[in-house]
Amino acid sequence: MPRCNPTPEQEIKSAILADSLSQLSAALEHAEERIRDNEALREAFESALKLAVQQGRTALAQHLLEEGAEITALSVLDVGCYKPSIALWSFLKSYGYDFNQVGPKDSYFRGRSVIHTVTHDERLVRWLIEECGVCVDLGEEDYWFRPHPPLVLQTCASIGSVACFKLIKERGAKMGRRALHEAVYSAAGAGYVPKDASPDQKKTSEEKTKEGKDERAECAAADLPQSERKKNREEMLTYLVDELHLDVNALDTEDLMSDGCRKPSSWGRPLDYALKVADEDPVGGAVVRWLLNKGADTNIIFRKTSPWLLKHNER
């Protein structure tokens, strides 16, 4: 059976994955010869630029821009979620990329900007702030279901590092009410034990740290080594409670009622967030115990019939 010739799009993709400028140049020439529809040709060039940036191929991205690809084709997630680097970003900035732009307020982009995607990397966050003047005071504090976008500090508490949190906070970002709640939920979901947990909390046979990528990260933080993600989550919890003295019994919203109904976005107190995980997966139990040790009150939480609390006689 004869082999089918690759499409122009397939040739372009192969060239980018091979990081070959000569191969890409030839593939683009073939595309111009074979794709007669101008709109289809434009889309092929835009897709190629997106892939080149996602792969961190600066030279190939430059060639595509010189050949007519538009810098406006790049989304926030193209630039921030794959292989971000200062070298790549400096190049994109020289071509006019706006690092303050936000994505659509849909269920995928949620109105996020590039800084939302790199709150684990202090060098990248500092570059965005000092070289591009990006706005750190972004995000919705009051929302019905999901924020579009979330507060930058809330994102950092969930998937970022303490160093980035401090830097972003120093530059005037809003704290909001859910920083600790989001940090608790993220750490519990991954089975991380705060670094100041007691020996008994660290030796729970049924509650083991999950391996693999952090599914909540939705950004380059998901590719961090598991040990670094674990360190970030553990340090964040300790920092928020022991240094910032955030209240372990604080509600996540000021007004729980809207037209007589509780907002779907309101889960309650940090302990409710940890129990939401632990009731379905025992890996969250270590964070539950840590919160109890820090003064979390089981008498005021919403999850009063929590299976985890009943099983472990914590009520």
Side-chain angles (χ1 to χ4, degrees):
M1 183 175 179
R3 295 180 60 185
C4 297
N5 291 327
T7 66
E9 292 83 1
Q10 290 171 335
E11 289 182 345
I12 292 171
K13 180 178 180 180
S14 296
I16 293 171
L17 295 179
D19 196 13
S20 171
L21 184 57
S22 60
Q23 190 176 334
L24 176 62
S25 181
L28 293 177
E29 288 183 10
H30 292 165
E32 290 176 336
E33 293 171 358
R34 297 169 61 185
I35 301 177
R36 300 300 181 184
D37 181 81
N38 288 337
E39 181 64 19
L41 184 62
R42 181 188 65 79
E43 290 178 358
F45 273 55
E46 287 185 354
S47 296
L49 178 62
K50 286 174 172 286
L51 180 59
V53 169
Q54 291 169 8
Q55 293 292 313
R57 314 295 200 199
T58 303
L60 303 189
Q62 181 174 358
H63 184 67
L64 285 160
L65 288 166
E66 291 172 348
E67 290 296 312
E70 296 289 339
I71 194 77
T72 54
L74 297 173
S75 73
V76 167
L77 302 190
D78 292 329
V79 173
C81 286
Y82 293 89
K83 295 186 178 179
S85 69
I86 289 176
L88 175 65
W89 285 1
S90 296
F91 157 73
L92 294 177
K93 182 184 176 186
S94 72
Y95 271 82
Y97 184 82
D98 179 10
F99 285 90
N100 262 314
Q101 69 177 295
V102 297
K105 290 192 174 185
D106 55 20
S107 59
Y108 184 62
F109 286 90
R110 294 176 58 199
R112 289 174 291 179
S113 71
V114 171
I115 198 169
H116 280 93
T117 69
V118 293
T119 57
H120 61 288
D121 191 320
E122 185 183 5
R123 288 180 66 251
L124 294 179
V125 168
R126 189 174 296 277
W127 187 88
L128 288 171
I129 293 172
E130 297 180 353
E131 299 297 324
C132 299
V134 299
C135 177
V136 297
D137 199 23
L138 296 171
E140 295 180 347
E141 295 182 75
D142 184 38
Y143 46 89
W144 178 251
F145 185 66
R146 298 183 77 188
H148 292 80
L151 296 176
V152 177
L153 276 182
Q154 180 176 304
T155 297
C156 189
S158 176
I159 62 176
S161 69
V162 170
C164 288
F165 192 99
K166 290 179 178 179
L167 175 60
I168 295 167
K169 185 173 181 292
E170 286 172 1
R171 301 307 172 101
K174 290 177 288 193
M175 172 78 76
R177 299 176 64 92
R178 303 178 192 241
L180 178 57
H181 301 72
E182 288 295 328
V184 161
Y185 187 59
S186 180
Y192 297 149
V193 184
K195 70 176 185 178
D196 61 343
S198 68
D200 289 342
Q201 291 169 332
K202 294 180 178 180
K203 293 181 179 180
T204 307
S205 60
E206 67 173 349
E207 294 159 8
K208 298 180 180 178
T209 299
K210 287 184 176 179
E211 300 291 339
K213 291 189 176 183
D214 184 345
E215 294 179 356
R216 300 197 71 225
E218 298 179 344
C219 67
D223 292 323
L224 288 176
Q226 197 268 350
S227 59
E228 187 171 348
R229 285 184 277 123
K230 179 176 184 291
K231 176 175 176 286
N232 285 345
R233 301 282 56 73
E234 293 170 350
E235 290 183 348
M236 184 64 72
L237 285 181
T238 302
Y239 167 72
L240 293 175
V241 173
D242 291 349
E243 293 190 40
L244 287 189
H245 304 294
L246 298 188
D247 184 359
V248 295
N249 289 308
L251 283 168
D252 53 11
T253 56
E254 183 174 354
D255 179 13
L256 294 178
M257 306 297 289
S258 179
D259 297 330
C261 300
R262 221 177 92 202
K263 297 177 182 177
S265 64
S266 174
W267 295 353
R269 294 169 170 82
L271 186 56
D272 290 293
Y273 281 64
L275 287 170
K276 187 175 179 66
V277 175
D279 285 343
E280 299 178 0
D281 190 333
V283 298
V287 174
V288 172
R289 289 194 174 94
W290 181 81
L291 284 167
L292 293 172
N293 189 54
K294 292 293 183 179
D297 188 347
T298 60
N299 293 313
I300 59 174
I301 59 173
F302 292 158
R303 302 179 76 85
K304 295 185 182 299
T305 57
S306 162
W308 191 95
L309 288 178
L310 295 174
K311 176 181 178 182
H312 294 274
N313 298 314
E314 295 289 355
R315 289 214 52 87

